[in-house]
mmCIF file with all atom_site columns, all heavy atoms in Angstrom:
data_model
loop_
_atom_site.group_PDB
_atom_site.id
_atom_site.type_symbol
_atom_site.label_atom_id
_atom_site.label_alt_id
_atom_site.label_comp_id
_atom_site.label_asym_id
_atom_site.label_entity_id
_atom_site.label_seq_id
_atom_site.pdbx_PDB_ins_code
_atom_site.Cartn_x
_atom_site.Cartn_y
_atom_site.Cartn_z
_atom_site.occupancy
_atom_site.B_iso_or_equiv
_atom_site.pdbx_formal_charge
_atom_site.auth_seq_id
_atom_site.auth_comp_id
_atom_site.auth_asym_id
_atom_site.auth_atom_id
_atom_site.pdbx_PDB_model_num
ATOM 1  N N   . PHE A 1 422 ? 106.500 18.284 96.673  1.00 91.00 ? 537 PHE A N   1
ATOM 2  C CA  . PHE A 1 422 ? 105.078 18.639 96.589  1.00 91.00 ? 537 PHE A CA  1
ATOM 3  C C   . PHE A 1 422 ? 104.826 20.041 97.135  1.00 91.00 ? 537 PHE A C   1
ATOM 4  O O   . PHE A 1 422 ? 103.996 20.785 96.599  1.00 91.00 ? 537 PHE A O   1
ATOM 5  C CB  . PHE A 1 422 ? 104.244 17.622 97.355  1.00 91.00 ? 537 PHE A CB  1
ATOM 6  C CG  . PHE A 1 422 ? 102.770 17.766 97.115  1.00 91.00 ? 537 PHE A CG  1
ATOM 7  C CD1 . PHE A 1 422 ? 102.214 17.350 95.917  1.00 91.00 ? 537 PHE A CD1 1
ATOM 8  C CD2 . PHE A 1 422 ? 101.940 18.312 98.078  1.00 91.00 ? 537 PHE A CD2 1
ATOM 9  C CE1 . PHE A 1 422 ? 100.848 17.484 95.679  1.00 91.00 ? 537 PHE A CE1 1
ATOM 10 C CE2 . PHE A 1 422 ? 100.581 18.445 97.860  1.00 91.00 ? 537 PHE A CE2 1
ATOM 11 C CZ  . PHE A 1 422 ? 100.033 18.032 96.649  1.00 91.00 ? 537 PHE A CZ  1
ATOM 12 N N   . PHE A 1 423 ? 105.541 20.397 98.215  1.00 92.00 ? 538 PHE A N   1
ATOM 13 C CA  . PHE A 1 423 ? 105.448 21.744 98.787  1.00 92.00 ? 538 PHE A CA  1
ATOM 14 C C   . PHE A 1 423 ? 106.828 22.398 98.647  1.00 92.00 ? 538 PHE A C   1
ATOM 15 O O   . PHE A 1 423 ? 107.656 22.300 99.565  1.00 92.00 ? 538 PHE A O   1
ATOM 16 C CB  . PHE A 1 423 ? 105.046 21.703 100.261 1.00 92.00 ? 538 PHE A CB  1
ATOM 17 C CG  . PHE A 1 423 ? 103.734 21.041 100.540 1.00 92.00 ? 538 PHE A CG  1
ATOM 18 C CD1 . PHE A 1 423 ? 103.679 19.834 101.228 1.00 92.00 ? 538 PHE A CD1 1
ATOM 19 C CD2 . PHE A 1 423 ? 102.546 21.625 100.143 1.00 92.00 ? 538 PHE A CD2 1
ATOM 20 C CE1 . PHE A 1 423 ? 102.473 19.221 101.515 1.00 92.00 ? 538 PHE A CE1 1
ATOM 21 C CE2 . PHE A 1 423 ? 101.327 21.017 100.423 1.00 92.00 ? 538 PHE A CE2 1
ATOM 22 C CZ  . PHE A 1 423 ? 101.291 19.816 101.103 1.00 92.00 ? 538 PHE A CZ  1
ATOM 23 N N   . PRO A 1 424 ? 107.106 23.073 97.535  1.00 91.00 ? 539 PRO A N   1
ATOM 24 C CA  . PRO A 1 424 ? 108.460 23.606 97.282  1.00 91.00 ? 539 PRO A CA  1
ATOM 25 C C   . PRO A 1 424 ? 109.001 24.498 98.399  1.00 91.00 ? 539 PRO A C   1
ATOM 26 O O   . PRO A 1 424 ? 110.178 24.394 98.751  1.00 91.00 ? 539 PRO A O   1
ATOM 27 C CB  . PRO A 1 424 ? 108.279 24.391 95.979  1.00 91.00 ? 539 PRO A CB  1
ATOM 28 C CG  . PRO A 1 424 ? 107.125 23.742 95.301  1.00 91.00 ? 539 PRO A CG  1
ATOM 29 C CD  . PRO A 1 424 ? 106.204 23.330 96.395  1.00 91.00 ? 539 PRO A CD  1
ATOM 30 N N   . LEU A 1 425 ? 108.166 25.359 98.963  1.00 91.00 ? 540 LEU A N   1
ATOM 31 C CA  . LEU A 1 425 ? 108.662 26.264 100.002 1.00 91.00 ? 540 LEU A CA  1
ATOM 32 C C   . LEU A 1 425 ? 108.889 25.533 101.322 1.00 91.00 ? 540 LEU A C   1
ATOM 33 O O   . LEU A 1 425 ? 109.740 25.935 102.120 1.00 91.00 ? 540 LEU A O   1
ATOM 34 C CB  . LEU A 1 425 ? 107.684 27.424 100.200 1.00 91.00 ? 540 LEU A CB  1
ATOM 35 C CG  . LEU A 1 425 ? 107.545 28.359 98.990  1.00 91.00 ? 540 LEU A CG  1
ATOM 36 C CD1 . LEU A 1 425 ? 106.696 29.573 99.333  1.00 91.00 ? 540 LEU A CD1 1
ATOM 37 C CD2 . LEU A 1 425 ? 108.919 28.806 98.484  1.00 91.00 ? 540 LEU A CD2 1
ATOM 38 N N   . VAL A 1 426 ? 108.150 24.447 101.546 1.00 90.00 ? 541 VAL A N   1
ATOM 39 C CA  . VAL A 1 426 ? 108.440 23.593 102.703 1.00 90.00 ? 541 VAL A CA  1
ATOM 40 C C   . VAL A 1 426 ? 109.791 22.931 102.499 1.00 90.00 ? 541 VAL A C   1
ATOM 41 O O   . VAL A 1 426 ? 110.609 22.855 103.422 1.00 90.00 ? 541 VAL A O   1
ATOM 42 C CB  . VAL A 1 426 ? 107.341 22.528 102.894 1.00 90.00 ? 541 VAL A CB  1
ATOM 43 C CG1 . VAL A 1 426 ? 107.771 21.483 103.933 1.00 90.00 ? 541 VAL A CG1 1
ATOM 44 C CG2 . VAL A 1 426 ? 106.041 23.182 103.342 1.00 90.00 ? 541 VAL A CG2 1
ATOM 45 N N   . GLY A 1 427 ? 110.047 22.445 101.279 1.00 89.00 ? 542 GLY A N   1
ATOM 46 C CA  . GLY A 1 427 ? 111.345 21.839 100.979 1.00 89.00 ? 542 GLY A CA  1
ATOM 47 C C   . GLY A 1 427 ? 112.479 22.812 101.176 1.00 89.00 ? 542 GLY A C   1
ATOM 48 O O   . GLY A 1 427 ? 113.536 22.460 101.735 1.00 89.00 ? 542 GLY A O   1
ATOM 49 N N   . LEU A 1 428 ? 112.290 24.063 100.741 1.00 90.00 ? 543 LEU A N   1
ATOM 50 C CA  . LEU A 1 428 ? 113.328 25.081 100.908 1.00 90.00 ? 543 LEU A CA  1
ATOM 51 C C   . LEU A 1 428 ? 113.589 25.361 102.384 1.00 90.00 ? 543 LEU A C   1
ATOM 52 O O   . LEU A 1 428 ? 114.748 25.471 102.811 1.00 90.00 ? 543 LEU A O   1
ATOM 53 C CB  . LEU A 1 428 ? 112.899 26.365 100.193 1.00 90.00 ? 543 LEU A CB  1
ATOM 54 C CG  . LEU A 1 428 ? 113.933 27.482 100.106 1.00 90.00 ? 543 LEU A CG  1
ATOM 55 C CD1 . LEU A 1 428 ? 115.148 27.024 99.295  1.00 90.00 ? 543 LEU A CD1 1
ATOM 56 C CD2 . LEU A 1 428 ? 113.318 28.726 99.470  1.00 90.00 ? 543 LEU A CD2 1
ATOM 57 N N   . SER A 1 429 ? 112.517 25.462 103.163 1.00 87.00 ? 544 SER A N   1
ATOM 58 C CA  . SER A 1 429 ? 112.697 25.715 104.599 1.00 87.00 ? 544 SER A CA  1
ATOM 59 C C   . SER A 1 429 ? 113.287 24.497 105.300 1.00 87.00 ? 544 SER A C   1
ATOM 60 O O   . SER A 1 429 ? 114.034 24.629 106.275 1.00 87.00 ? 544 SER A O   1
ATOM 61 C CB  . SER A 1 429 ? 111.360 26.098 105.240 1.00 87.00 ? 544 SER A CB  1
ATOM 62 O OG  . SER A 1 429 ? 110.373 25.121 105.004 1.00 87.00 ? 544 SER A OG  1
ATOM 63 N N   . MET A 1 430 ? 112.995 23.273 104.808 1.00 84.00 ? 545 MET A N   1
ATOM 64 C CA  . MET A 1 430 ? 113.627 22.063 105.354 1.00 84.00 ? 545 MET A CA  1
ATOM 65 C C   . MET A 1 430 ? 115.139 22.126 105.170 1.00 84.00 ? 545 MET A C   1
ATOM 66 O O   . MET A 1 430 ? 115.905 21.790 106.088 1.00 84.00 ? 545 MET A O   1
ATOM 67 C CB  . MET A 1 430 ? 113.081 20.824 104.652 1.00 84.00 ? 545 MET A CB  1
ATOM 68 C CG  . MET A 1 430 ? 111.756 20.310 105.153 1.00 84.00 ? 545 MET A CG  1
ATOM 69 S SD  . MET A 1 430 ? 111.293 18.790 104.280 1.00 84.00 ? 545 MET A SD  1
ATOM 70 C CE  . MET A 1 430 ? 109.732 18.413 105.078 1.00 84.00 ? 545 MET A CE  1
#
Side-chain angles (χ1 to χ4, degrees):
F537 190 74
F538 301 112
L540 295 187
V541 170
L543 188 63
S544 55
M545 278 183 179

